[in-house]
Amino acid sequence: MGISVCIASGKDGVGKSVVAANLAIVLSSLGVETLIVDGDIEGASVGLILGVDPGGLTIHDCLSGKADPKKAVIEASGTKAVIGAIGIEQLVGASLENFPSILEDFTGAFDIVLVDSQGGLGDNTVTVIGSCQALLLVLTPDIGSVTNGLKILAVAKKLGTTVLGALINRSGSPYDIPADKIADLMRLDVIGELPEDETVKRALFEGVPVSVGYPDSPFSKEIRSVADKLIGRT
Amino acid sequence: MSTILVVDDEEDIRFVLGQMLKREGYEVLSAGSGEEALEMLKKTRPDLILLDVMMPGLDGWETCARIRSQEETKDITVAMLTAKTSDEDKIRALESSGANWHISKPIDRAKLIDTVRWLLESPPRRHGHGKDGVEKGGDS
Ligand SMILES: Nc1ncnc2c1ncn2[C@@H]1O[C@H](COP(=O)(O)OP(=O)(O)O)[C@@H](O)[C@H]1O
Ligand SMILES: [Mg+2]
């Protein structure tokens, strides 16, 4: 039995999906049986970040009961993934009702199931957080991201989802709130501080995961250190 | 050297915080209530205010709101202090009360000094620039 870990944030745009997809790749490369599931059913982007062809089965097909979840698992960049649909017809009205049971099946078959989520506190996000055993909070080092992150922590507490720690992303400005201040205020471990890094955007543009296309970039190096720390604690 | 105003209704806490900060060379002023703090702020302009939330009379939230609503005091850096901190308190401190930061009691000396240094070195936040003549709650 593995562990399900939601990658969550108080708002979108902080880098959850990029972090989740690359973390999955790195964990897999370290020999951990890892699955990344796109739980952001309205704005799925894991497939795009992994650079895979969106033609196959998706989490939406699993949720609607059209596909056996095991058959929706694809392989990309050395990791396993269940990506989201991109067609509008499938996105409108998609429901996460079956998500907890689908996730439980996956958790039985992998060491770690990373679940990318939609930012904020909407119903879908709350369902995803509540379905996962644990949560990693992604935030940028600014006040808005910290306060919205605190709301996620409060929700996780209420739902009984264990908070493993925080990943600070896009750091490197002199106006950043320092990591130790964030850790102190939020009362959680900062597991990694991922730098603002052009290669993240370049890799997205090129359609290759940054940890594959640019393994020596500052972002990729820090993702590897995050993976090492996670293996140590889960 | 910077001047720090400590506002707390408990004398012991004012004393302990004062000792910690004076040892680092800061000039320390203290007030036993929100009312007293606002009175002092008519004459002095500290660089940082450490403001307890739970006080009889004007509590820390209201005191902070008044600091932010006056032209002469609105840009002073304020850190709220709370015991038995909930996530809601922290969110309120950073989001709606207009404080710059939040510090949980019991206070750890090393962390306090480090946080105070960081707050004093950070560029001041400018409050009330969001809407014409109307104070903003925070700037998140
Ligand atoms: N460390 C980084 N350095 C530079 N750009 C980044 C970094 N992390 C994320 N980005 C950019 O931010 C955008 C949003 O990232 P994404 O992972 O989609 O956020 P979220 O899933 O939280 O909404 C991406 O398109 C990417 O260009
Ligand atoms: Mg995303």
Side-chain angles (χ1 to χ4, degrees):
Chain A
M1 189 72 188
I3 181 173
S4 49
V5 181
C6 175
I7 310 295
S9 73
K11 57 182 182 139
D12 270 318
V14 298
K16 279 183 304 303
S17 301
V18 168
V19 167
N22 285 284
L23 197 52
I25 292 169
V26 172
L27 284 168
S28 296
S29 76
L30 294 172
V32 181
E33 284 290 329
T34 308
L35 176 73
I36 165 99
V37 175
D38 202 329
D40 181 355
I41 59 164
E42 288 174 49
S45 60
V46 170
L48 212 58
I49 294 165
L50 291 175
V52 297
D53 175 11
L57 294 173
T58 63
I59 186 71
H60 293 79
D61 296 315
C62 305
L63 291 166
S64 68
K66 253 197 287 180
D68 172 358
K70 282 182 204 70
K71 297 220 168 86
V73 176
I74 59 168
E75 186 148 2
S77 298
T79 192
K80 302 270 170 55
V82 178
I83 65 172
I86 47 170
I88 299 244
E89 326 77 61
Q90 277 194 292
L91 299 189
V92 176
S95 156
L96 283 169
E97 200 185 322
N98 297 325
F99 190 75
S101 70
I102 294 171
L103 184 60
E104 209 173 303
D105 285 353
F106 287 143
T107 311
F110 289 87
D111 297 330
I112 298 187
V113 180
L114 294 179
V115 182
D116 190 20
S117 67
Q118 188 176 348
L121 298 170
D123 291 349
N124 285 345
T125 305
V126 171
T127 301
V128 169
I129 293 174
S131 313
C132 291
Q133 292 155 270
L135 177 148
L136 269 173
L137 183 71
V138 179
L139 73 169
T140 49
D142 56 84
I143 287 280
S145 194
V146 167
T147 54
N148 286 312
L150 283 166
K151 296 170 195 171
I152 295 287
L153 296 185
V155 167
K157 209 178 283 171
K158 214 173 282 172
L159 297 170
T161 305
T162 306
V163 177
L164 298 177
L167 300 176
I168 296 174
N169 188 29
R170 313 195 72 157
S171 81
S173 151
Y175 302 107
D176 286 350
I177 301 173
D180 63 329
K181 300 294 171 293
I182 291 176
D184 185 31
L185 180 94
M186 301 184 90
R187 292 279 143 103
L188 41 69
D189 288 343
V190 172
I191 298 173
E193 212 179 336
L194 300 144
E196 174 73 28
D197 183 347
E198 270 296 293
T199 61
V200 173
K201 290 181 185 165
R202 179 166 182 179
L204 274 171
F205 183 82
E206 294 172 350
V208 60
V210 61
S211 56
V212 174
Y214 300 93
D216 296 325
S217 72
F219 181 91
S220 300
K221 282 184 182 157
E222 185 66 10
I223 278 282
R224 283 202 293 279
S225 125
V226 168
D228 285 336
K229 285 185 201 159
L230 279 179
I231 292 173
R233 77 177 60 193
T234 52
Chain B
M1 198 36 147
S2 308
T3 302
I4 302 171
L5 171 60
V6 176
V7 189
D8 198 307
D9 58 315
E10 285 181 58
E11 197 185 339
D12 291 358
I13 298 203
R14 293 200 301 274
F15 178 77
V16 171
L17 281 178
Q19 290 298 310
M20 289 177 180
L21 295 168
K22 280 178 193 159
R23 254 174 64 184
E24 301 299 313
Y26 295 115
E27 186 93 38
V28 179
L29 302 169
S30 68
S33 69
E35 290 87 344
E36 194 187 334
L38 292 170
E39 203 51 44
M40 289 175 80
L41 288 172
K42 288 180 181 163
K43 283 162 283 174
T44 42
R45 173 71 212 254
D47 302 287
L48 170 66
I49 301 174
L50 300 180
L51 182 54
D52 182 36
V53 168
M54 292 263 283
M55 294 187 291
L58 276 188
D59 66 12
W61 304 124
E62 184 55 32
T63 305
C64 187
R66 296 203 186 176
I67 290 168
R68 289 288 178 254
S69 72
Q70 291 164 10
E71 191 54 38
E72 316 75 53
T73 57
K74 71 181 173 55
D75 294 333
I76 301 176
T77 302
V78 177
M80 306 300 288
L81 306 175
T82 56
K84 288 185 277 169
T85 309
S86 65
D87 291 323
E88 281 76 10
D89 282 340
K90 296 176 192 173
I91 293 165
R92 183 169 180 186
L94 299 179
E95 231 170 41
S96 49
S97 83
N100 299 67
W101 198 243
H102 175 281
I103 297 170
S104 299
K105 292 185 194 173
I107 287 168
D108 174 281
R109 200 188 77 87
K111 278 183 186 161
L112 173 81
I113 298 307
D114 201 47
T115 302
V116 162
R117 191 172 299 136
W118 166 61
L119 287 169
L120 288 168
E121 281 168 5
S122 303
R125 267 203 268 148
R126 287 176 278 185
H127 294 269
H129 287 258
K131 298 175 203 147
D132 251 359
V134 179
E135 268 67 38
K136 274 201 319 174
D139 70 356
S140 59

